[in-house]
Amino acid sequence: GRAHDGRGARDAPLAIAETRRQEGQDQAEEKAWMKTIVIIDDEFGLADVLTSTLSDIGFLALSAANGKQGLEIMAEHPPDLVLLDFMMPLLDGAGVLKAMRADPKLAAVPVIMMTAVPESVVRARCQGYTAFLRKPFDFQTLLEAVELATAGP
């Protein structure tokens, strides 16, 4: 048989490191084109379901339990879309939307307002949202609204 010079064993960690670096680059590139959706809702069950469902279909989905936390997340991760609950503690949907429209980095971000109250109640307190979903809504309706709101260039 052939004599073993030991080079193969020394080169193996290098090959593994190369592979890992490539996988890391692929993941970074994938995240770069993924659209970011921030979900701001104090109903933890709904926020969790929305986050996992939107992540499963290819969005980077981040959630916040109140408007104040939502604005903090948006400052770190500029979103392509916001799903915003109207009635929340600390800072409600109207307050979040007003803050977003006053911030040049967030002013043009589409917002889907979600709530159990009629849209007329929401419209009386705030303008500038892209779409309205009355809770409870089905996921097909949500997905259609998300697709429409994120369909731009």
Side-chain angles (χ1 to χ4, degrees):
R2 226 172 57 152
H4 182 33
D5 66 3
R7 270 200 329 238
R10 263 197 323 269
D11 292 344
L14 186 63
I16 291 167
E18 274 298 310
T19 304
R20 286 198 183 124
R21 188 164 63 238
Q22 184 58 45
E23 285 172 5
Q25 283 174 333
D26 290 348
Q27 287 170 350
E29 285 169 19
E30 194 173 293
K31 277 196 169 56
W33 67 260
M34 285 175 81
K35 293 198 178 205
T36 301
I37 298 179
V38 173
I39 299 142
I40 307 172
D41 198 317
D42 61 330
E43 290 179 51
F44 297 110
L46 178 61
D48 286 348
V49 169
L50 292 176
T51 301
S52 61
T53 301
L54 292 167
S55 294
D56 287 348
I57 60 170
F59 291 98
L60 175 59
L62 307 169
S63 67
N66 60 61
K68 185 176 177 298
Q69 188 182 54
L71 289 172
E72 290 167 2
I73 288 172
M74 286 188 270
E76 275 187 51
H77 306 277
D80 296 291
L81 174 65
V82 175
L83 300 180
L84 181 60
D85 185 24
F86 181 65
M87 296 187 295
M88 292 180 295
L90 292 183
L91 185 61
D92 67 2
V96 171
L97 190 58
K98 186 176 179 186
M100 286 178 68
R101 296 305 176 235
D103 181 337
K105 290 189 280 298
L106 300 174
V109 174
V111 172
I112 297 175
M113 192 67 75
M114 312 178 294
T115 188
V117 301
E119 187 174 10
S120 58
V121 174
V122 175
R123 208 178 308 116
R125 292 239 359 252
C126 62
Q127 288 79 38
Y129 54 89
T130 310
F132 177 84
L133 289 177
R134 178 109 186 242
K135 292 178 181 179
F137 48 79
D138 63 68
F139 282 102
Q140 192 55 45
T141 304
L142 170 75
L143 294 177
E144 287 168 10
V146 167
E147 279 181 34
L148 279 172
T150 59

